Amino acid sequence: MRRRRFDLSAVFELLLGVPTVLSSLLIVGLVGRAFAPDELWLFPVLWLVSGAIVFLPAVDRVLAVLALNLRGPTNKERAVLEPLLEEVCGAAGVAPQRYWLRIENSKEINAMAVGGHVVAVSTAALALPPRHLEAVLAHEVGHHLAGHTRISLLRWWYELPARAAVRLTLLVGLGIFLAGRKIGTKLAYVASVLLVVALAAVAVVASPWVLLVPVIAPLLALSSRRSELYADRISAELGYGPMLLEVLQRWVRQGYDERRARAGIRARMLASHPSCAQRISRLHDKKAPRP
């Protein structure tokens, strides 16, 4: 059986989430203080323990349906995908029953790995030649083997309170500002602006991580691009390198890298996937050390 440690990009992603997680703990602690003032440790500890929920298989199913709008494959789609997934899992030394196949209704060729079990492809990807589709599945299984998907889900869970607090603050601030404008007087407008500024200051004190977003966002994107290269490498180790190269070269011919280049430097810095040219270069680089 093929065993792997977490990829360094997964560990790096988890570290980048520390400021937001600490803000979540602060917010949970403040809520806990209102309900259990004599046991300030209770709510933060319960929140940390609650992270175990992301390892429950049922959570993957819920996210696949509610958050990502993925559906189960039809009998025809299953007949195409299951034999390919079995081949990939056989090469990786894992049981194919470990993964759940899901479908994204999309005209774009796409695939994704979610949580600890979901492997999804788009309806457009189903039109790929079987060996190409098998290589795409191997890439997604590679994400699971490297621990990328579980780490991302764990970080998302622990960041929920901080992100919810920021969104709530933005909504309240927008409501105050619009109310001041609607009243129409200069005093009301100035008062609403001052209240919004005060609210923003409170939000920064409660969630100082928002000040780090300009730094954290590009680093998270960099970590995501690194994880894609790592999943490519696993796919190649499993014997799918040539087929994956053909898929990437196909995307180059379809103008993926050209559209990426026109997007501008900021968009490239925040892109979750590297260019096809970079992925092709890494797959060709036989001198690169094995992960």
Side-chain angles (χ1 to χ4, degrees):
M1 182 175 181
R2 196 179 193 87
R3 297 183 183 276
R4 292 182 174 275
R5 296 178 181 176
F6 281 135
D7 174 27
L8 286 179
S9 62
V11 177
F12 184 52
E13 179 182 347
L14 193 60
L15 291 175
L16 287 172
V18 168
T20 318
V21 173
L22 291 177
S23 293
S24 289
L25 279 174
L26 174 61
I27 291 166
V28 170
L30 291 174
V31 172
R33 185 175 182 178
F35 290 95
D38 296 329
E39 297 178 314
L40 298 179
W41 57 270
L42 182 60
F43 273 62
V45 169
L46 288 176
W47 176 248
L48 289 175
V49 173
S50 75
I53 196 174
V54 305
F55 297 99
L56 297 177
V59 173
D60 289 353
R61 293 183 184 273
V62 171
L63 286 176
V65 175
L66 298 183
L68 301 172
N69 198 29
L70 303 178
R71 61 171 175 82
T74 64
N75 290 336
K76 184 178 179 180
E77 291 165 342
R78 190 177 297 278
V80 172
L81 290 170
E82 282 187 345
L84 302 181
L85 182 62
E86 288 176 4
E87 289 291 330
V88 172
C89 290
V94 296
Q97 295 79 13
R98 177 177 177 179
Y99 302 114
W100 301 326
L101 290 167
R102 291 294 181 267
I103 304 296
E104 176 191 29
N105 291 323
S106 173
K107 295 180 180 179
E108 298 291 331
I109 295 177
N110 190 29
M112 67 185 78
V114 181
H117 304 88
V118 175
V119 174
V121 298
S122 65
T123 46
L126 288 167
L128 289 170
R131 292 294 285 169
H132 288 182
L133 182 55
E134 191 173 334
V136 170
L137 291 175
H139 173 92
E140 302 309 328
V141 168
H143 279 303
H144 283 300
L145 294 175
H148 298 150
T149 50
R150 285 201 185 279
I151 287 293
S152 294
L153 187 56
L154 187 64
R155 180 177 64 83
W156 170 81
W157 178 260
Y158 281 139
E159 289 180 350
L160 277 178
R163 294 187 181 278
V166 170
R167 288 191 177 94
L168 179 61
T169 301
L170 289 174
L171 286 174
V172 172
L174 180 61
I176 292 172
F177 180 73
L178 292 176
R181 288 187 61 180
K182 189 170 184 179
I183 293 172
T185 66
K186 185 175 181 180
L187 179 62
Y189 180 77
V190 171
S192 67
V193 170
L194 290 176
L195 283 173
V196 169
V197 171
L199 192 63
V202 172
V204 169
V205 171
S207 297
W209 66 273
V210 296
L211 299 176
L212 300 175
V213 168
V215 176
I216 292 177
L219 290 177
L220 279 173
L222 176 64
S223 175
S224 177
R225 294 194 295 271
R226 204 277 182 189
S227 72
E228 294 299 324
L229 296 173
Y230 193 88
D232 282 350
R233 183 175 291 183
I234 292 177
S235 178
E237 284 187 349
L238 297 179
Y240 294 96
M243 283 72 73
L244 189 57
L245 279 171
E246 290 177 9
V247 173
L248 293 169
Q249 288 161 353
R250 172 179 179 152
W251 287 341
V252 169
R253 291 192 297 270
Q254 292 176 347
Y256 175 87
D257 280 4
E258 291 180 7
R259 292 192 296 271
R260 178 189 173 90
R262 291 195 298 267
I265 186 170
R266 182 176 181 275
R268 291 197 295 274
M269 286 180 62
L270 297 177
S272 61
H273 285 61
S275 67
C276 291
Q278 185 181 7
R279 295 174 69 178
I280 290 170
S281 176
R282 289 295 184 92
L283 284 169
H284 277 306
D285 187 5
K286 296 182 180 179
K287 295 181 180 180
R290 288 182 177 272

